[in-house]
Each structure stands twice: as C-alpha cells, then as structure tokens.
C-alpha cells in the first residue's frame, strides 16, 4: 500500500509524476538498505525492541509526509526515513517459523506464507487506490499508519515473539552472503519479482488504470499462485525444484505475448502463477536450511533487498518498453526475467541444497565450552 499511496500523494501535492517518482525512489532505497541492517539488529537488541522502534519511526514519518506540505527535498527526506525504518516483519516471521512448527511442517508453512502474500499483493493496491481516489491521499496515508501500528502491535505483543530470542551473530555484517544458497535466493528473488513487476505494469498498460479487466487479470495471476502454493507445498525440495517451478512461471509469462485479450492473459498468467508461490517457498526453505539460526534474519533481509531491487528494475524496464513498443514489451520483459531465472537455477543447481528427507530448520548455533579439569 505504501509505495502506491506515496506516489499518488506526491503527484497530487506537486503536480508532477517525476517528483513522485523521486520520492518513491528514495523510499525504495531506504527499504533496500535497511532490510539486512534492521534484521541483524534483532539478534542484538531483541525482536520486540527493534520492531517497536522501527514501527514508531516509520509511522511518524508517514504521518508528517501526509500532513505537512513541503518542498520536494523534504518529501524525499521523509520518504527515505520511512524506507529506512520499515519494520523487518518478514525477516522476523520467517526466523520464528522453525521454532513454531516441526521440521516436517516447515516447508509447507513456507509455501503457505508465499501463497498468502498473493492476497496482500491483490488487495492492497485495490484498497489504497479506492481510498485515495474516493477520500483523498491524506486519508490513504493515514490508513497505512493504522495498518502499520495495529498490525505491528498485534505481532509485537504475540507470545511467540517474546519466547524466541535470536542469538547475536558472531560473524561480520554481510558474511552470510558467502553462503551460496543465500546468494542464489537473492538473485533468483530479484529476477522473479522483477518478472512480476514487469507483468503488472504490462497489464495496467493494456487495460488502463481504471479498467476492471486489469484488476481481474492480476487477481487470476495471484489465484494461480495461491493454488500452486497450497497444492505443491508438501512436495519435498530437491536441487532441481527451483528450476522446475520457475520454468512453469516462465512458460506462462511467455504465452502472454501471443495475445493481449483479457481471456488469454488471464489463462496464461494463471499458469504462470502456479509456479510463483512454490518458487518463493523454495527460497525461504533453502535459506533456513543453509545458515545458522543467528544469521537467518539477516539472510532474509538480503533476500528482501534483492526482491525490492528486482521490483524497481522490472517496473523501470517495462516502463521504457511500454513507451517504446507498447504494452507487449512489458510482457516480453517479464518473460525474459523469468527465463533468466530458470537459466540461473539450472546452471547453479549444485548451489541448491537437497532438502528431501532432511530437516529444513536452521543450523544450530554452537560454540566451544571451556571445561575445568
């Protein structure tokens, strides 16, 4: 909700989509930078302290952005602050999962997590656009603050957050990227989310911002992903699982370029969606199984950063192609992002762990214990 609301609000306040894009870019840069940093802080100061601080700062920045008219540099500074203070909830949640369920339930839980994200991606843009256009962009931003504080408090006060403590990582910042699985999850996440962002831009360009068809087609895309996640979440994850699941998405996105009618796009994106949530589930599970528990939050932070950069890159490439060759260019871009993802997953298959019949929980943190003799 946040990025779209900021875009609409700054455009309304300044009358320039260029200015709105600069503020949104500052917000995205802040989110990308803060992901690994604030996630790592949770092992130093605790989950509740970090989430409480970041939630409060982020909410305050959005309130000021909504209520106080100012020049463009001021809006950019507040956007950057809101991005830097975005609460690392996803990293916290996925770090807690191995402590909440058995190892056998962990992979299906990651798949369910990825599937439920589809509901967020469908509902959030619809809700914030409806509020911003009917009630105004200021109420839209304040609604985000309500979600941020309400949802943040709900999660922060849950008993599980208080029971689990993330150990302080003994390795330097960024050392977790030495793990091939983390690097591959970050790169593949960049490509997969880049493909989704390009396709979303293509759908909007095809049917227009106000067309009901755009919302329906994107909803079908997400329904396919939800069905895929719920259907394939229990399947054991081998080294080739990522390549196979990405191939389904790549085939579906490639089919979109054959026709831009609502029925064809709906059908082809439904096929593409079937591989989306299962591929995200592989990312989460392989990361958890490849790093120590103290490093999982930072690892998920890096993966989130890769996805944010992918979303920005996919939208940017699609935008240039839409201006140059029309909406079809965005779908070609999405197919290309996904195809490169398949190639990366196939070429680097040895870097993907074999989780068939293996516990997908993080590696326990151990240290030498002095013995008095």
């Amino acid at each position: 909700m946040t990025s779209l609301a900021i875009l609409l609000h700054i455009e309304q306040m300044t009358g320039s989509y260029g200015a709105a894009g600069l503020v949104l870019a500052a917000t995205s840069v802040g989110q990308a930078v803060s992901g690994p940093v604030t996630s790592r802080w949770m092992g130093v100061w605790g989950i509740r302290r970090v989430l409480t601080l970041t939630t409060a700062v982020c909410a305050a920045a959005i309130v000021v952005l909504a209520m106080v008219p100012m020049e463009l540099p001021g809006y950019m500074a507040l956007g950057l602050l809101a991005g830097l203070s975005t609460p690392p909830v996803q990293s916290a949640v996925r770090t807690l999962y191995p402590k909440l369920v058995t190892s056998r339930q962990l992979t299906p839980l990651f798949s369910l997590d990825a599937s439920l994200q589809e509901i967020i991606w469908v509902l959030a843009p619809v809700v914030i656009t409806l509020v911003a256009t009917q009630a105004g962009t200021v109420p839209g931003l304040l609604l985000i603050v309500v979600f941020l504080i309400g949802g943040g408090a709900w999660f922060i006060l849950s008993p599980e957050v208080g029971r689990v403590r993330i150990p302080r990582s003994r390795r330097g910042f960024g050392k977790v990227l030495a793990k091939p699985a983390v690097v591959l999850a970050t790169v593949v996440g960049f490509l997969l989310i880049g493909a989704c962002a390009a396709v979303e831009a293509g759908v909007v360009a095809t049917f227009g911002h106000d067309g009901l068809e755009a919302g329906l087609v994107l909803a079908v895309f997400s329904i396919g992903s939800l069905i895929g996640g719920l259907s394939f979440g229990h399947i054991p994850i081998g080294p080739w699982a990522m390549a196979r699941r990405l191939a389904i998405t790549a085939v579906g996105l490639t089919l979109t370029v054959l026709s831009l009618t609502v029925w064809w796009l709906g059908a082809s994106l439904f096929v593409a969606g079937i591989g989306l949530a299962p591929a995200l589930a592989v990312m989460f599970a392989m990361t958890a199984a490849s790093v120590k528990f103290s490093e999982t939050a930072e690892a998920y932070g890096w993966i989130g950063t890769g996805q944010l950069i992918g979303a920005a890159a996919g939208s940017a490439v699609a935008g240039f192609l839409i201006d140059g060759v029309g909406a079809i260019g965005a779908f070609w871009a999405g197919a290309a992002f996904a195809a490169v993802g398949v190639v990366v997953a196939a070429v680097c298959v040895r870097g993907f762990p074999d989780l068939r019949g293996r516990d997908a929980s993080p590696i326990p943190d151990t240290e030498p214990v002095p013995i008095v003799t």
Side-chain angles (χ1 to χ4, degrees), residues 115-341:
S115 300
L116 293 178
Q117 282 194 42
E118 296 296 334
I119 298 176
I120 299 170
W121 293 340
V122 172
L123 291 182
V126 175
V127 169
I128 201 61
T129 301
L130 181 64
V131 173
T133 54
Q134 299 301 314
T137 57
V138 172
L141 286 168
L142 295 180
L143 176 64
I144 290 172
V145 174
V146 171
F147 271 85
L148 182 62
I149 295 176
W154 185 14
F155 179 62
I156 291 167
L157 296 175
S158 62
E160 292 79 6
V161 174
R163 286 199 295 264
V164 177
R165 182 186 176 280
I166 304 173
R168 183 192 293 261
S169 178
R170 303 183 186 281
R171 304 179 71 195
F173 178 72
K175 294 289 186 181
V176 71
L177 290 174
K179 300 284 187 179
V182 178
V183 175
L184 285 172
T186 302
V187 172
V188 172
F190 164 85
L191 294 167
L192 184 58
I193 302 304
C196 294
V199 166
E200 183 173 340
V203 169
V204 172
T206 301
F207 300 109
H209 292 80
D210 302 323
L212 179 62
E213 297 91 343
L216 292 176
V217 168
L218 291 175
V220 170
F221 187 24
S222 296
I223 290 170
S225 179
L226 181 63
I227 292 174
L230 296 177
S231 301
F232 304 139
H234 65 285
I235 297 177
I237 295 173
W240 285 98
M242 180 66 82
R244 287 196 296 265
R245 299 176 189 203
L246 282 177
I248 297 173
T249 298
V251 169
L253 295 185
T254 302
L255 290 174
T256 59
V257 303
L258 299 180
S259 173
L260 298 186
T261 62
V262 64
W263 294 106
W264 181 259
L265 282 179
S268 54
L269 288 180
F270 179 82
V271 172
I274 290 175
L276 182 56
L280 289 170
V282 174
M283 285 182 219
F284 304 150
M286 65 187 274
T287 302
S290 302
V291 301
K292 292 183 178 181
F293 181 60
S294 61
E295 299 173 330
T296 50
E298 183 186 343
Y300 288 127
W302 284 110
I303 292 171
T305 292
Q307 293 179 359
L308 281 167
I309 298 172
S315 298
V317 172
F320 282 115
L321 290 174
I322 290 169
D323 289 340
V325 300
I328 190 72
F331 293 103
W332 276 115
F337 269 92
V340 173

